[in-house]
Each structure stands twice: as C-alpha cells, then as structure tokens.
Amino acid sequence: MKTAIVTDSNCGIAIHEADILNIHIIPMPVLINEKTYYEGKNLMYSDFLQHLIREDHVTTSQPAPSELMMIWDKLLKEQYDEIVYIPMSSGLSSSYQTAYMISQDYAGKVYVVDAHRISVTQRHAVLDAVALREQGFSAARIKEILERNAFRSIIFVGVDDIHYLKRGGRITPAAAAITSVLNIKPLLVIRGEKIDSYAKVRGSRKCQKELLKIIKEKSCDFLAQGQRSRIGITGSFPKQEDTQAWYDTAKQVFSEHTLQYDQLTFSITCHTGPNAFGMGISAYPDELHI
C-alpha cells in the first residue's frame, strides 16, 4: 500500500522541504481587503506582515472542500492507495470537521487526523506520520497513533504588541490600554483545543526568559515520564537579525537540542502581530523507533 501524507501550511513546513519529505501541503487561504491569497504560494511571510502593520483587513480561512477533493482525487488516481490528512487542530478551526465529512465519501481511502496541533507541533505530527509510514504503518494506524499522541504537546507564544489581540477581540480596549502603558507582554499557551492566556510579563526579554523556563520544565517533565521529546522554535519577526537573536537565545538554553525554526503560521500571526516569539514541545509516539 502506498500512503500519501497531506497537511496544510499551518505546519510551517516549506514547499521545498515538503518535496524532500515526500508530503503534500495545502496552502491556507488568506483574505486581505477581500482579495484571496494563499499562504506560501502567492503570499510570502514578509508581505503578510506588512499587510498587518498597515492595518489592512486580514483574515484567514480554511481550504475549500473542492480544493481538498481535487488534491485527494489526484493523489489516489495517480500513485497512492490511501491518504493521511493532518489539518490544524479542530479546536482552532473547522478545517478538520469539513475534511472529515468529505472523507466519508472516499470509502476508507482518506484518513483525517485530529492531531490537536498547529505550528511547530503540527510539524512534529507530520514528521511522525512520515516516519511511521517508513516503518510500514497503514494510514488507519497512523491516524490512530497520532490522535492518541495528540495532547502530549504544548506551544507558548509571547506577544510583543497587544494591539493585534485587541483588533481580534481577544482582549478589551481598556485592558489593552493598561497593558501597553505598563509594557506588559502576554504569554499565550496553545494546548490542543484553544489559545489561552498563560501569563503576563513586563518587557519582551523577561517574557522570553519566562517562556524558555517553562519549556525547560516541560522538557524535564517528559524526560521524567520516560517520554522522548523534541522542541521547535517560531516567531513573526520582520527583521532577520531579530529572528537570529531569538534563535540564539533559545539555543543557549537548549544547546543539547536540534532546534528547528519555523515562521509563525499566518493563522496565529493574525492575532499576535509581528515580533511574536514562541516555542513548542511534543513527545514522540511510543510506536516510533528513532
């Protein structure tokens, strides 16, 4: 059985890397001033950030059912017997529900995974699927393993400018005003189903320090439970030097880890704005031999 692995661009995996991994990425639609673009296809990250900075009307959407069907049909017709599809978490979008409903018409050939992940931990789930495929697991078993392992992951994102959370209605204007005056940086947590506020820290450097401390604790927790884990790093920096500075800061704390940097997915950046910084950690599935 030949198994195709398909995901959406929320995983942060670039097109050229997808080709190397032999996976297929569906770009997420982005509406800017009522015109539709596609993440990583005809809208690059630097341009996306500029639209946010200019305060254009920016929203993200989910892939159209017709697009999903076109890609699935092509893969099944040309070279694959079955498909594993890993969209962003069902708690953050209706993408999973839509894809699952469509998959019911594919007679057991398309398995839609609710991995409860996004960004760097969604990347981890996709890489796990690739490795499980190489070990000979079927699409049905890959779905089962990924969903059982779904909540053994967590992401934290520090927000530099509260303005974007206010625009998205996630905090009140009054709270935003107080937060801005006091230079308080929210630290958000994404744990499977939704984005929540985790802490409020004064200043970006202290917020980064707090984030690194938490990820270190989570890493130790996984180790104490006998679980192998990996760490990803992310951000929404317009300037390359700021990206490098955040990476270097994280590398000092996690020198023993190989840290993969991915730009923060458009779906999250809409709410955090530029200069956000984040890290995610997830455990490997028990079935995966590494």
Side-chain angles (χ1 to χ4, degrees), residues 152-153 218-227 229 281-283:
R152 294 162 67 184
S153 69
K218 297 297 180 183
S219 178
C220 292
D221 288 344
F222 278 131
L223 186 62
Q225 296 166 16
Q227 298 176 356
S229 64
I281 184 171
S282 65

Side-chain angles (χ1 to χ4, degrees), residues 207-258:
C207 192
Q208 289 184 359
K209 186 176 180 180
E210 179 67 15
L211 191 160
L212 291 165
K213 175 186 173 185
I214 295 167
I215 292 292
K216 191 70 173 179
E217 290 172 352
K218 297 297 180 183
S219 178
C220 292
D221 288 344
F222 278 131
L223 186 62
Q225 296 166 16
Q227 298 176 356
R228 300 160 296 161
S229 64
R230 59 279 160 97
I231 295 169
I233 182 169
T234 186
S236 61
F237 301 101
K239 297 179 180 179
Q240 178 58 36
E241 55 264 36
D242 292 331
T243 299
Q244 189 64 51
W246 169 228
Y247 181 87
D248 292 343
T249 299
K251 191 62 178 177
Q252 289 176 5
V253 177
F254 297 96
S255 57
E256 72 281 13
H257 288 263
T258 300

Side-chain angles (χ1 to χ4, degrees), residues 157-177:
V157 180
V159 178
D160 180 67
D161 189 345
I162 203 74
H163 171 71
Y164 296 92
L165 289 175
K166 183 181 74 173
R167 281 180 60 188
R170 291 188 173 269
I171 63 170
T172 65

Side-chain angles (χ1 to χ4, degrees), residues 14-223:
I15 298 299
H16 70 274
E17 187 181 359
D19 292 339
I20 295 170
L21 293 169
N22 189 24
I23 65 172
H24 308 270
I25 296 180
I26 298 176
M28 295 295 287
V30 183
L31 277 68
I32 301 178
N33 298 332
E34 299 185 357
K35 182 177 179 180
T36 302
Y37 298 86
Y38 293 91
E39 182 172 8
K41 186 177 180 181
N42 62 351
L43 180 62
M44 299 300 106
Y45 201 73
S46 58
D47 297 324
F48 175 70
L49 290 178
Q50 289 306 310
H51 284 292
L52 290 178
I53 292 169
R54 291 200 301 263
E55 297 197 3
D56 291 335
H57 186 263
V58 179
T59 59
T60 55
S61 185
Q62 61 173 302
S66 58
E67 184 174 2
L68 285 178
M69 294 171 67
M70 180 179 67
I71 292 173
W72 293 352
D73 290 344
K74 181 180 179 182
L75 292 172
L76 291 172
K77 180 180 180 180
E78 291 184 354
Q79 54 182 315
Y80 294 98
D81 303 303
E82 57 182 7
I83 295 171
V84 174
Y85 179 50
I86 308 171
M88 67 186 290
S89 173
S90 64
L92 301 173
S93 167
S94 57
S95 291
Y96 166 78
Q97 287 86 353
T98 299
Y100 179 77
M101 290 178 61
I102 298 171
S103 73
Q104 300 308 293
D105 293 330
Y106 280 77
K109 292 185 177 182
V110 177
Y111 294 82
V112 181
V113 180
D114 193 1
H116 294 284
R117 299 188 185 186
I118 194 171
S119 189
V120 294
T121 56
Q122 185 178 343
R123 163 190 275 273
H124 294 163
V126 173
L127 295 181
D128 289 344
V130 171
L132 290 166
R133 176 178 64 183
E134 291 176 354
Q135 289 181 200
F137 285 93
S138 67
R141 282 285 286 138
I142 292 173
K143 170 182 167 68
E144 177 188 336
I145 292 167
L146 293 185
E147 290 186 342
R148 190 172 66 246
N149 197 54
F151 289 102
R152 294 162 67 184
S153 69
I154 195 166
I155 304 174
F156 293 90
V157 180
V159 178
D160 180 67
D161 189 345
I162 203 74
H163 171 71
Y164 296 92
L165 289 175
K166 183 181 74 173
R167 281 180 60 188
R170 291 188 173 269
I171 63 170
T172 65
I178 294 172
T179 300
S180 297
V181 169
L182 297 178
N183 193 29
I184 293 174
K185 308 298 182 183
L187 185 59
L188 308 178
V189 59
I190 307 174
R191 188 188 289 108
E193 293 295 339
K194 56 184 178 179
I195 302 176
D196 284 322
S197 175
Y198 184 85
K200 295 179 177 66
V201 186
R202 183 169 292 184
S204 291
R205 290 190 179 276
K206 288 184 178 179
C207 192
Q208 289 184 359
K209 186 176 180 180
E210 179 67 15
L211 191 160
L212 291 165
K213 175 186 173 185
I214 295 167
I215 292 292
K216 191 70 173 179
E217 290 172 352
K218 297 297 180 183
S219 178
C220 292
D221 288 344
F222 278 131
L223 186 62

Side-chain angles (χ1 to χ4, degrees), residues 267-285:
S267 297
I268 300 177
T269 306
C270 271
H271 300 292
T272 65
N275 295 308
F277 46 88
M279 294 185 76
I281 184 171
S282 65
Y284 287 100

